[in-house]
């Protein structure tokens, strides 16, 4: 075998291995959710470390108690508050060990599907945890948006002394700004948040 043929064979083998490895790489959960959202006219979402932390705490708590519940760590609004999102939703599940099967389960549930398609969502956190027996996998997904803080009302100028000239001593500025509120789960049916 000539050196040229040997190099060509090595190059072709390397290319085939690289192509196979590229095909074997599955999209991340955020990419899978984004693909679903894009098909339905919503924006792409990215992984958010805060939402990942909230999802992991929820998944671990459900696995530790072997209980599928939105309230296992307290109310959703109190758990999601640290994300500073204007709107948020949560999907939970158990049973499947892979995210693609769990996502399929959520897509086929009308209420979970609504959370996946949360309007103006831009960030997501996803986590799973296995119960003590190692037989049941719990999943939690936090999805959120409306991170833009509402513009505060213009400052209100108040004169402290009438008739005096304007100076820093004569006026004070009062600014008003309200923090965004998290969406509370209002109706619970079969562990779904409405």
């Amino acid at each position: 075998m000539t050196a040229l043929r040997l190099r060509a064979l090595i190059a072709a083998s390397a290319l085939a291995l690289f192509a196979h490895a590229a095909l074997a790489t599955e999209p991340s959960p955020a990419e899978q959710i984004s693909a679903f959202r894009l098909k339905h006219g919503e924006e792409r979402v990215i992984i958010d470390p805060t939402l990942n932390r909230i999802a992991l705490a929820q998944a671990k708590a459900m696995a530790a108690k072997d209980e599928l519940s939105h309230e296992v760590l307290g109310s959703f609004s109190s758990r999601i508050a640290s994300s500073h999102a204007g709107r948020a939703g949560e999907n939970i599940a158990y049973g499947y060990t892979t995210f693609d099967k769990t996502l399929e389960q959520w897509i086929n549930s009308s209420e979970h599907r609504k959370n996946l398609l949360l309007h103006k969502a831009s960030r997501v956190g996803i986590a799973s945890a296995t119960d003590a027996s190692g037989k049941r996998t719990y999943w939690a997904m936090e999805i959120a948006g409306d991170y833009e803080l509402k513009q505060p009302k213009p400052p209100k100028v108040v004169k402290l002394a009438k008739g005096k000239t304007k100076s820093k001593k004569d006026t004070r500025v009062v600014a008003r700004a309200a923090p965004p509120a998290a969406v509370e789960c209002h109706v619970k049916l079969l562990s779904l948040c409405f």
Side-chain angles (χ1 to χ4, degrees):
M1 185 177 276
T2 67
L4 185 57
R5 282 186 178 168
L6 183 59
R7 279 190 233 142
L9 183 60
I10 292 172
S13 297
L15 184 59
L17 285 173
F18 178 76
H20 179 69
L23 291 174
T25 304
E26 290 188 26
S28 72
E31 291 169 335
Q32 291 178 51
I33 292 169
S34 290
F36 176 72
R37 290 175 56 79
L38 290 169
K39 285 181 191 174
H40 293 88
E42 292 295 338
E43 295 178 24
R44 183 178 306 277
V45 290
I46 59 169
I47 290 291
D48 180 87
T50 300
L51 295 177
N52 264 351
R53 179 185 50 75
I54 295 167
L56 183 58
Q58 177 68 11
K60 283 182 173 181
M62 290 187 301
K65 293 184 178 183
D66 202 11
E67 177 184 350
L68 184 69
S69 170
H70 288 281
E71 291 84 25
V72 74
L73 282 178
S75 72
F76 175 65
S77 60
S78 67
R79 291 184 292 108
I80 202 73
S82 65
S83 74
H84 302 291
R87 297 172 41 115
E90 175 177 71
N91 284 356
I92 59 175
Y94 71 85
Y96 294 110
T97 57
T98 62
F99 181 74
D100 58 334
K101 289 290 191 182
T102 303
L103 179 60
E104 185 179 319
Q105 181 182 13
W106 287 335
I107 288 171
N108 292 326
S109 162
S110 62
E111 294 306 317
H112 288 100
R113 183 183 177 100
K114 284 180 188 177
N115 282 344
L116 289 167
L117 297 174
L118 182 70
H119 187 59
K120 293 188 179 180
S122 59
R123 301 178 192 175
V124 68
I126 303 130
S128 65
T130 306
D131 70 349
S133 72
K135 294 180 180 177
R136 184 176 282 177
T137 302
Y138 286 87
W139 290 90
M141 180 206 71
E142 316 300 328
I143 188 165
D146 290 341
Y147 283 90
E148 298 75 30
L149 293 176
K150 294 180 181 176
Q151 294 296 325
K153 292 181 181 180
K156 182 178 179 182
V157 177
V158 179
K159 287 189 177 183
L160 297 178
K162 194 171 184 174
K164 292 191 177 184
T165 60
K166 291 182 180 180
S167 72
K168 290 182 181 178
K169 292 180 182 177
D170 294 326
T171 61
R172 68 180 156 170
V173 176
V174 180
R176 300 177 192 126
V183 176
E184 178 67 46
C185 180
H186 297 289
V187 178
K188 182 181 173 195
L189 177 65
L190 299 174
S191 296
L192 302 175
C193 184
F194 302 99

